[in-house]
Amino acid sequence: MSTTQFIDELAAGNASGAKDILNDMLSARAFEALEGRKIEIAQNIFNGSVQEEVENLSEQDVGNGYKMKMKHSDKGRIHAPSGEHVADVTKHESGWAYHSGNSKWDGSESSPHYKTGVEKTKSAAAKKAAEIHASN
């Protein structure tokens, strides 16, 4: 199912068909995300990093009610005051990158939900990601 089919059904006034297509698309996306997470967990179990991830979980306020939760030393998630995951920060050779964690982000750099930048510290990257989310 595709977005085009969904729009075509809506344009034709077929709400039931559009609902079915939307449900199929959401289910497929959720299944893909779950499969990816299962693979990630399985890989971490065999290299021993699952325990590290749990032990190093920390939370830091980044301003305006936004919080950064570090999964481990090189990855973190930004959460809005509502608790919604809105962005990620990741350590790179050139610094800390921030990018959209929004569920509307399809993973591509061409998506309007993709925001990125590199800051010297994870706190600066987290603050920038929170500012961008708050301004959208």
Side-chain angles (χ1 to χ4, degrees), residues 97-114:
Y98 56 90
H99 53 89
S100 174
N102 188 303
S103 61
K104 295 177 185 172
W105 182 41
D106 65 6
S108 70
E109 292 185 26
S110 60
S111 169
H113 301 284
Y114 180 82

Side-chain angles (χ1 to χ4, degrees), residues 57-76:
L57 186 65
S58 64
E59 185 173 290
Q60 175 183 346
D61 183 31
V62 296
N64 296 327
Y66 285 81
K67 304 246 184 247
M68 175 174 52
K69 294 181 181 178
M70 293 303 296
K71 292 178 73 175
H72 35 78
S73 61
D74 60 353
K75 291 181 184 176

Side-chain angles (χ1 to χ4, degrees), residues 29 69 79 91 96 107 114 124-125:
R29 190 168 277 200
K69 294 181 181 178
H79 295 270
K91 189 174 185 179
W96 285 83
Y114 180 82

Side-chain angles (χ1 to χ4, degrees), residues 15-92:
S16 176
K19 178 183 171 190
D20 291 342
I21 291 171
L22 179 62
N23 285 338
D24 289 347
M25 289 188 323
L26 292 174
S27 294
R29 190 168 277 200
F31 181 78
E32 289 170 10
L34 181 59
E35 286 299 310
R37 183 66 178 138
K38 284 178 6 184
I39 290 168
E40 179 184 341
I41 289 170
Q43 289 171 343
N44 288 338
I45 287 172
F46 293 111
N47 71 20
S49 64
V50 169
Q51 187 66 29
E52 175 189 348
E53 186 174 324
V54 172
E55 291 174 2
N56 290 328
L57 186 65
S58 64
E59 185 173 290
Q60 175 183 346
D61 183 31
V62 296
N64 296 327
Y66 285 81
K67 304 246 184 247
M68 175 174 52
K69 294 181 181 178
M70 293 303 296
K71 292 178 73 175
H72 35 78
S73 61
D74 60 353
K75 291 181 184 176
R77 288 187 160 190
I78 311 303
H79 295 270
S82 66
E84 173 191 15
H85 166 225
V86 297
D88 295 320
V89 291
T90 310
K91 189 174 185 179
H92 295 274

